[in-house]
Amino acid sequence: MPDKRSLSSYVGREECGAMSPGLTRRGLLAGTVGLSAALVLPPAVKAGIPAPDVLPLERQDYAEARRHFHTRLLRKMAAPEKSAALGTPAGAERVTYPGGPDGSIQLVAWLSHYQPSKTLKPAVLFLHGGNATGDGHWALMKPYWEAGFVVLLPSFRGENGQIGNYSGFYDETADALAAATYLENLPGIDRKRFFIAGHSNGGTLTLLASMSRKFRAAAPISAGVNSWRYFNRYTEEICFDETDEREFIMRSSVCFGPSLKCPALLLRGTEERPFDADHQLFVDRTVPSGFKVDKKLLPGTHNGVVPGAVEESIRFFNQFA
C-alpha cells in the first residue's frame, strides 16, 4: 500500500478507529510502537455490491462446505499491499510451511525460539492484520512467548513478494489451517493447549479457521464476520466472481455460526466501530455449536487495541491451559 495515501480516509470506516486528518501512513506508523504498515487496512471505496437483507444461515458444516467449494478467481493478483521481502526479526526463527490446501507452495512464517522437552508447551497461532507481514507484527508477539507459549506468525500466499494468488480470505484460510498443522506437529507442542488468535483481517481468518477445525480456544481481535460489508468497502480487492453469492457466503463466518469448534472471545477497541448487529447475529448463531462466545471491548483504536488484546487473549487462553 503506497505511503503517499493519507490516513484521514480511514476515519469512520468499518474496521478502523478515529485518526487525525493529515497524518501520513508512514508518519503514524513511525510513532506507533510495535505496529507495522501491514496493520493498516487499505483505503475504502464507494460501496456497490448488493448484500442480502437477511444474511444466509448455512446448515452444512463449514469444514465440509470447504471440501466441496473452490473459489473462482477471475483476477490473478498478489496481496493488495506493497511490502518488502521477509527477513528474520529479533526473537524469531524463520521457517517455511506448505501452504494449503495441497501444500503446493512454501510460505514463510516466524516461530518463537523454544527448547522442546518432555514437558509439552502451549502454542498460539497468530494471524496478522492487513495484507502483508511486517516486523511490527512480530514485536506484538513478545507477550506470548514471555507467558510460556510457543507462537507462530505465518505469512500468506501472495504477500511480501511470495508466490500464490490473493483470494480475499478463502485460500488464505487454507494457508492458516496449513500453518496450524505445521505448528501442532512441532516437537514439544501440547495439542491439548493449542490456541488461535488474529487481528483485523487475521481476526476474520481466525473465525473461519475455528469453524474448519478444532482449537482449544480462539481470540479474534477486530474481526469481520460479513464479507459483503468488507468487500463493499474494499472493492478493489475483489478478485473472485462477485455475481456468485456463494463466494461471499464462504468468506462470512456469520453464515456458519453452528460450525464453530471451540470457545471464542471477540475483542475490539472502544475507539473503532463497535460490535454491531452482524456480530450479535454471529454470537446468536453459534449457540447450537455448544461453545461459548464472549465479547469484550478494550481501550484503543483499531490498531492501538492490539497490545492490550494480546494480553487479554493470554488471560483467556490461560483459563484452558
Side-chain angles (χ1 to χ4, degrees):
M1 191 166 59
D3 288 333
K4 66 182 181 181
R5 292 177 178 171
S6 169
L7 286 179
S8 62
S9 64
Y10 293 93
V11 177
R13 298 301 180 183
E14 176 189 11
E15 302 295 338
C16 302
M19 300 178 186
S20 300
L23 288 176
T24 64
R25 176 172 171 274
R26 183 186 296 272
L28 177 67
L29 295 172
T32 307
V33 177
L35 295 182
S36 76
L39 283 175
V40 182
L41 289 171
V45 295
K46 187 175 179 180
I49 302 168
D53 294 331
V54 178
L55 295 172
L57 174 59
E58 297 294 303
R59 299 299 178 185
Q60 186 180 33
D61 183 79
Y62 185 61
E64 181 65 22
R66 286 186 63 87
R67 282 192 279 271
H68 298 284
F69 179 81
H70 299 280
T71 188
R72 181 170 176 244
L73 299 182
L74 301 183
R75 185 160 59 108
K76 302 297 177 66
M77 57 184 283
E81 188 169 328
K82 292 183 179 179
S83 52
L86 292 169
T88 307
E93 177 186 354
R94 178 188 167 112
V95 298
T96 58
Y97 73 96
D102 57 4
S104 59
I105 56 178
Q106 291 293 315
L107 298 170
V108 173
W110 292 328
L111 176 69
S112 61
H113 295 296
Y114 78 103
Q115 186 63 45
S117 67
K118 292 182 179 180
T119 301
L120 301 180
K121 298 180 181 295
V124 176
L125 177 68
F126 193 94
L127 310 180
H128 67 75
N131 291 306
T133 311
D135 289 4
H137 291 123
W138 183 251
L140 294 166
M141 300 297 98
K142 186 177 180 181
Y144 284 124
W145 73 69
E146 289 183 335
F149 294 86
V150 178
V151 60
L152 182 76
L153 191 150
S155 62
F156 302 116
R157 62 186 61 225
E159 291 182 350
N160 301 80
Q162 297 181 101
I163 62 173
N165 296 308
Y166 172 81
S167 75
F169 300 113
Y170 190 74
D171 288 337
E172 290 78 6
T173 299
D175 291 340
L177 294 170
T181 299
Y182 173 88
L183 176 56
E184 72 179 348
N185 282 291
L186 290 177
I189 299 301
D190 188 349
R191 295 189 181 187
K192 295 181 180 179
R193 295 183 294 163
F194 184 38
F195 304 95
I196 186 170
H199 171 240
S200 191
N201 284 4
T204 300
L205 292 173
T206 294
L207 287 173
L208 294 173
S210 299
M211 293 178 163
S212 305
R213 56 153 289 167
K214 290 183 178 180
F215 293 89
R216 188 64 187 90
I221 306 164
S222 305
V225 299
N226 176 346
S227 69
W228 286 274
R229 169 169 280 172
Y230 181 89
F231 288 110
N232 257 312
R233 282 164 168 76
Y234 310 112
T235 55
E236 75 277 10
E237 294 187 18
I238 297 176
C239 49
F240 52 84
D241 183 0
E242 65 185 84
T243 67
D244 182 357
E245 183 181 62
R246 193 74 182 163
E247 294 277 7
F248 292 94
I249 290 173
M250 294 299 294
R251 291 165 167 85
S252 300
S253 57
V254 71
C255 297
F256 289 92
S259 295
L260 186 67
K261 293 176 174 60
C262 68
L265 175 62
L266 307 183
L267 298 169
R268 204 168 190 86
T270 54
E271 297 180 48
E272 60 180 322
R273 182 179 61 81
F275 292 115
D276 60 16
D278 288 345
H279 292 98
Q280 187 57 52
L281 182 61
F282 169 80
V283 173
D284 293 343
R285 287 179 170 183
T286 61
V287 171
S289 75
F291 293 106
K292 185 179 181 182
V293 178
D294 288 321
K295 297 183 297 182
K296 187 170 185 177
L297 289 174
L298 300 172
T301 62
H302 179 75
N303 290 332
V305 73
V306 180
V310 167
E311 296 286 357
E312 188 65 33
S313 73
I314 292 171
R315 286 189 285 271
F316 178 58
F317 294 156
N318 279 337
Q319 297 177 30
F320 307 95

